[in-house]
Amino acid sequence: MSEIEKNLPPEEPMRAAPQAQGLSDIEAFASAATRAVEKPRRKHRRAAVLLSAAAAVAVLAGAVFALPVLFPAEEPEPEPEQPDTAVTLLDKELDADGQAIENPVRSVRITTALDDYTLALNEDNVWKLQGEDDLPLNTTAVEGLVDELLFVQAQDTVAADVADMSTYGLDHPTLTVNAVYADGAAVTLKLASMAVGNGYYLRVNEENTVYLMDATLAQTAMKQPEAYVSLSVVEAPSVSKDDANGTVMVKELSLTGAVRDNVVTTIRPKEEADGPEYENTSYLLTAPYKQATDSETATKVFAVTSITAEEAVALHPNAAQLAEYGLDTPHSVAKIVLGVFTSTTNEEGEVTEAGYYNERVHLVKLGKKTADGTAYYAMADTRDVIYRIHAEQLPWADKTYHDFTNKYLFLRNLTSLQSITCTTGGKTYAFEFTHTPEGETLDDELTVKLNGETLRTHEFRVLYQVLMTLYRTGAAPAEPQGEPMLTVRVSSLDEKLADRVIDIYAHSGSVCIARTETGDTYKMTASRVIDAIEQIENYVSGDDVINRF
């Protein structure tokens, strides 16, 4: 034994800690655990201290989790119920027998500082804005107002026997509603906005009691008369019940306005009488020139058979309002002819008769765009109303003739052609065709000759593609000047079809101007024209023809 150990006091035996009086089992256990580590051997004092702390934490943690079980928290006392101060002032939802009333409200007059108008049922029980018998209304909006007037309940009574209504602003109310009901009762509701809060003071008829109302009735009734105007600007015609084949279609669309320099552009679906020249298109431009259309653009435009506005902005606009919304000089004008297209077939499935019925003609004028650019201000037909219409419902709004036209130089199948003549640099090349449909290969089906000499068929098919893809790129920047740098004449086997002739003129380093036999004039990319002339020369000289585009 070392000298240090000899000087240590003798070890005391570990004793169980007595349970403290009045302690719970858990508290007593914590006390005993603490006492059990109070007198460790001195040489292990640091370890004993750490063990003591760990044991205490574990015991306390257990105690924390056990406390809610052993000592559950007391539930808070329920708050006392607030007294119901609501006052029912008007209940017209049912009749005396508890039955629903048809058309329970006959008329409503709305008076504010800005407006004074009346909504009333006419002899046909159709809601009309007084003085606007020809103007259809938005029945959903009217029904929303009527519903608010069937059951009127105040939140509280503010004061009775009020001698001076000016105290509550009811000498000059914010809103006055005069309603006449089916039972003949006439009720006047006067509302004044509170100085503080979102509620309203209310006076019924000429009673001297003032009530407190929430804002719902006021917000519904304070709408301007435009809010009740029907938003259906263009309505699709109805298909007859006995017509299984009927489809609502745009029969014809004519466009003009400032965006088109007031030139009329007219489009319609292709008809059988239009012949094979337009077999590759579904719609035709008939003005200012007869021309095949760009399929994607025309399809989007003709898909719209009804137009619904976002809101009515102004009734009976004056000259200043027309100018404000850009409707004094319309940006775009559309004459839309709608109808139901139907057809009948025989037993073999052949169409024997086809045509339109229930035709309607609508005129829509567009003014300025809204500030956010998502809609147009517009007027329609004979309605003296300015609407706001979302641009998505007006796919024709900014489209011009050149947007609608097919971009290809010509749209005739090679198998239907007699010849193609190209004139460039003072030389004329008349390529004449012989068609042999029974040929074994595609090249065997076509023979190309120039001045009686047979040329390469496959290379000519490439040249044909080069010529077709001399795309139009928009309106001509000017009238063509000088002599054409290239002229292309397309002649059909069908003698009824006139030759397609396109003269192409140099204009600038990047732009050429093309003019057809009809007078249709437009621009195209100069580099494509230069390349086409090069490929013509390559073909004639026996070199490879390359379609670079």
Side-chain angles (χ1 to χ4, degrees), residues 205-332:
N205 295 327
E206 295 301 316
E207 297 176 6
N208 293 327
T209 302
V210 175
Y211 301 95
L212 176 64
M213 288 283 293
D214 65 21
T216 306
L217 173 60
Q219 290 173 349
T220 303
M222 287 182 68
K223 294 176 181 176
Q224 294 180 310
E226 290 86 352
Y228 298 100
V229 174
S230 172
L231 300 179
S232 181
V233 178
V234 172
E235 294 183 4
S238 300
V239 179
S240 297
K241 293 180 180 179
D242 57 351
D243 184 3
N245 299 322
T247 303
V248 177
M249 293 180 60
V250 178
K251 182 181 180 182
E252 186 177 78
L253 177 66
S254 293
L255 302 170
T256 184
V259 70
R260 302 173 189 90
D261 295 326
N262 295 312
V263 174
V264 176
T265 297
T266 302
I267 319 163
R268 62 166 173 78
K270 182 186 67 177
E271 299 172 356
E272 187 176 351
D274 292 317
E277 182 173 4
Y278 303 104
E279 62 183 347
N280 294 315
T281 186
S282 298
Y283 301 93
L284 278 183
L285 283 152
T286 58
Y289 305 101
K290 192 169 184 179
Q291 174 75 10
T293 62
D294 175 73
S295 178
E296 183 178 354
T297 303
T299 299
K300 286 180 180 179
V301 167
F302 275 72
V304 178
T305 56
S306 64
I307 298 174
T308 302
E310 294 180 324
E311 71 168 341
V313 177
L315 292 178
H316 306 300
N318 54 34
Q321 288 174 311
L322 291 174
E324 176 186 356
Y325 295 110
L327 287 158
D328 53 340
T329 54
H331 171 74
S332 185

Side-chain angles (χ1 to χ4, degrees), residues 2 12 149 189 354 548-549:
S2 69
E12 293 183 11
L149 296 173
L189 305 174
R548 293 191 174 93
F549 300 98

Side-chain angles (χ1 to χ4, degrees), residues 215-481:
T216 306
L217 173 60
Q219 290 173 349
T220 303
M222 287 182 68
K223 294 176 181 176
Q224 294 180 310
E226 290 86 352
Y228 298 100
V229 174
S230 172
L231 300 179
S232 181
V233 178
V234 172
E235 294 183 4
S238 300
V239 179
S240 297
K241 293 180 180 179
D242 57 351
D243 184 3
N245 299 322
T247 303
V248 177
M249 293 180 60
V250 178
K251 182 181 180 182
E252 186 177 78
L253 177 66
S254 293
L255 302 170
T256 184
V259 70
R260 302 173 189 90
D261 295 326
N262 295 312
V263 174
V264 176
T265 297
T266 302
I267 319 163
R268 62 166 173 78
K270 182 186 67 177
E271 299 172 356
E272 187 176 351
D274 292 317
E277 182 173 4
Y278 303 104
E279 62 183 347
N280 294 315
T281 186
S282 298
Y283 301 93
L284 278 183
L285 283 152
T286 58
Y289 305 101
K290 192 169 184 179
Q291 174 75 10
T293 62
D294 175 73
S295 178
E296 183 178 354
T297 303
T299 299
K300 286 180 180 179
V301 167
F302 275 72
V304 178
T305 56
S306 64
I307 298 174
T308 302
E310 294 180 324
E311 71 168 341
V313 177
L315 292 178
H316 306 300
N318 54 34
Q321 288 174 311
L322 291 174
E324 176 186 356
Y325 295 110
L327 287 158
D328 53 340
T329 54
H331 171 74
S332 185
V333 179
K335 176 186 174 184
I336 307 169
V337 182
L338 295 171
V340 179
F341 181 80
T342 191
S343 61
T344 56
T345 56
N346 56 24
E347 295 179 355
E348 287 74 32
E350 299 171 333
V351 177
T352 57
E353 187 177 353
Y356 292 87
Y357 64 88
N358 284 355
E359 292 186 25
R360 295 182 178 181
V361 180
H362 297 273
L363 187 69
V364 180
K365 300 177 182 178
L366 306 183
K368 295 177 181 177
K369 269 192 169 182
T370 55
D372 61 7
T374 63
Y376 285 91
Y377 295 109
M379 297 186 73
D381 297 331
T382 57
R383 298 181 190 175
D384 200 15
V385 180
I386 295 178
Y387 298 94
R388 188 183 71 225
I389 303 175
H390 199 283
E392 288 182 354
Q393 299 206 49
L394 307 165
W396 43 263
D398 294 315
K399 295 291 186 290
T400 66
Y401 168 76
H402 295 285
D403 295 317
F404 283 110
T405 52
N406 190 285
K407 62 183 179 180
Y408 293 102
L409 191 68
F410 50 86
L411 267 183
R412 296 185 183 181
N413 290 328
L414 183 54
T415 55
S416 69
L417 301 184
Q418 182 181 45
S419 65
I420 292 180
T421 303
C422 300
T423 301
T424 180
K427 300 177 183 178
T428 298
Y429 306 108
F431 304 110
E432 298 180 339
F433 311 133
T434 301
H435 299 281
T436 310
E438 63 275 10
E440 292 184 4
T441 66
L442 189 62
D443 286 349
D444 291 338
E445 293 178 3
L446 175 67
T447 300
V448 183
K449 290 187 177 182
L450 176 61
N451 300 324
E453 179 184 351
T454 301
L455 302 182
R456 298 162 297 163
T457 300
H458 176 75
E459 294 295 310
F460 184 81
R461 290 187 184 279
V462 178
L463 178 61
Y464 184 75
Q465 293 173 356
V466 171
L467 294 175
M468 278 189 67
T469 54
L470 287 174
Y471 298 139
R472 72 166 65 216
T473 58
E479 286 292 307
Q481 301 292 328

